[in-house]
Amino acid sequence: MSHRANENDMNKPLFSFEFFPPQTPEGVEKLAATRKQLAQLKPEFFSVTFGAGGSTQDRTLETIRQIKAEGYNAAPHLSCIGATRDNIRAMLNTYKDMGIKRIVALRGDLPSGMGSIGEFQYANELVSFIRAQTGEHFHIEVAAYPEFHPQAKSAHDDMLNFKRKIAAGANSAITQYFYNADSYFYFVEECRKLGVTAPIVPGIMPIVKFAQLARFSDACGAEIPRWMRRTLEGYGDDAESVRAFAQDVVTALCERLLKGGAPGLHFYTLNQAAPTLAIWQRLGLPR
Ligand code: FAD
């Protein structure tokens, strides 16, 4: 199922931008301004994250509503950990009624100390459930991990688990961010050997605050290569040097990915337009 305008667009890279649902009225305003800037790049869709356990359920829905009202394609993330079938069914119906056509289906991570796993254990179960409830209505995206998910028993197991999500009915995948293009190309090649043909779009994380990124990367299993880490650490509080170096590195990564056949790029915008716009401009992509 494709949402592209026509077949001539099939080889055009597909770009998308991810936001988190803001918590404050100022955040909502700031995100609206960010969206306005990024909309000029004509992305395929804007996606909005969903706090595991439903912690952002209302804010995710509200942000999706705003994006839709502005006339853009909106893709809510939906994580199933801690959820019941009734819960998920209700959200799917709400999104379907709103005319939403794309969902990013995830397991999520249970916040520490938070109760039970709920009625879904893994994302493949969520994908099957969405298909069973809503047929082919949604284009389903799932997560992929070129550097492997930290809880996977082995790299091969992780790929088999990824394959399971596609077999359950997912159309395409967005990866966890990474800074080593080879890990992406290897992952895609191994998936193709396993018979997985779905598009796998690299997730791109512009680097804004290094300390924050380092903490987050340790937790989610994404590697910041040593040469990058040491260089960024060396810049300390020199934000201008961090920005310039990060832009060089991430632009070069995007270039290599697109040249190597990546079907598009999904930017983790952190609700800011400038870092993504800077990379976009340096890639010479159309505005
Ligand atoms: P799964 O695909 O279920 O995999 C989780 C782990 O279980 C993996 O190690 C896998 O190998 C293993 N596994 C899978 N199936 C089986 C099986 N049947 N048997 C045994 N082991 C299995 N989190 C949020 O909370 N909200 C978001 O909005 C959000 N958005 C994201 C967007 C993207 C593009 C990405 C890459 C991640 C996002 N995450 C989000 C993070 C994600 O929820 C976590 O990485 C989570 O730990 C795994 O989710 P998953 O959907 O990949 O899980």
Side-chain angles (χ1 to χ4, degrees):
M1 184 168 61
S2 166
H3 290 264
R4 286 162 193 262
N6 61 58
E7 289 306 305
N8 294 337
D9 288 344
M10 283 314 281
N11 292 323
K12 225 174 105 190
L14 194 152
F15 298 100
S16 49
F17 301 125
E18 178 173 315
F19 303 128
F20 58 84
Q23 258 175 323
T24 61
E26 299 76 53
V28 170
E29 225 171 274
K30 192 178 152 238
L31 181 56
T34 295
R35 219 157 44 226
K36 208 167 164 190
Q37 284 182 279
L38 292 178
Q40 293 169 19
L41 312 181
K42 301 196 169 48
E44 182 76 9
F45 62 91
F46 290 123
S47 83
V48 182
T49 60
F50 182 88
S55 56
T56 69
Q57 187 169 319
D58 295 344
R59 286 186 283 124
T60 298
L61 176 61
E62 189 44 38
T63 311
I64 288 290
R65 225 188 271 288
Q66 286 160 8
I67 296 172
K68 190 84 177 52
E70 289 164 0
Y72 309 123
N73 290 335
H77 294 210
L78 186 57
S79 69
C80 60
I81 201 86
T84 63
R85 286 184 186 81
D86 286 349
N87 203 214
I88 299 282
R89 191 182 295 112
M91 280 189 277
L92 292 173
N93 288 336
T94 302
Y95 286 134
K96 201 173 162 193
D97 292 345
M98 284 168 67
I100 297 299
K101 292 283 183 56
R102 186 184 292 256
I103 279 192
V104 185
L106 305 142
R107 184 196 69 178
D109 296 304
L110 212 53
S112 58
M114 202 179 134
S116 82
I117 286 179
E119 295 180 5
F120 300 87
Q121 204 173 356
Y122 296 110
N124 66 293
E125 296 163 27
L126 175 62
V127 174
S128 299
F129 186 75
I130 297 174
R131 283 285 173 249
Q133 294 296 312
T134 60
E136 293 299 310
H137 177 82
F138 292 108
H139 178 112
I140 304 178
E141 303 271 1
V142 289
Y145 301 86
E147 293 176 343
F148 307 112
H149 187 268
Q151 289 159 5
K153 261 202 286 178
S154 70
H156 187 65
D157 267 10
D158 208 29
M159 280 192 219
L160 293 178
N161 289 330
F162 172 63
K163 181 178 176 175
R164 211 191 303 269
K165 292 194 278 195
I166 300 293
N171 302 90
S172 49
I174 301 171
T175 75
Q176 182 60 278
Y177 66 88
F178 56 88
Y179 295 103
N180 178 349
D182 288 333
S183 68
Y184 170 80
F185 291 124
Y186 177 77
F187 182 82
V188 172
E189 202 179 301
E190 290 302 298
C191 287
R192 301 303 179 234
K193 283 186 204 160
L194 289 173
V196 176
T197 56
I200 301 171
V201 174
I204 302 297
M205 181 74 91
I207 303 169
V208 181
K209 289 190 181 133
F210 171 63
Q212 195 184 20
L213 178 72
R215 263 196 315 275
F216 188 58
S217 300
D218 289 343
C220 72
E223 189 185 57
I224 304 178
R226 184 179 164 83
W227 67 276
M228 280 179 62
R229 196 182 266 266
R230 297 291 287 152
T231 306
L232 287 160
E233 278 167 359
Y235 290 136
D237 294 333
D238 178 358
E240 181 49 33
S241 296
V242 170
R243 195 189 55 76
F245 174 75
Q247 256 182 37
D248 284 349
V249 170
V250 179
T251 305
L253 171 69
C254 293
E255 242 162 19
R256 204 175 148 209
L257 292 168
L258 291 173
K259 277 200 187 118
L265 300 171
H266 176 83
F267 285 88
Y268 296 107
T269 69
L270 304 173
N271 291 11
Q272 299 179 34
T276 298
L277 281 171
I279 295 166
W280 189 274
Q281 207 156 10
R282 291 190 49 183
L283 285 170
L285 291 167
R287 296 190 69 151

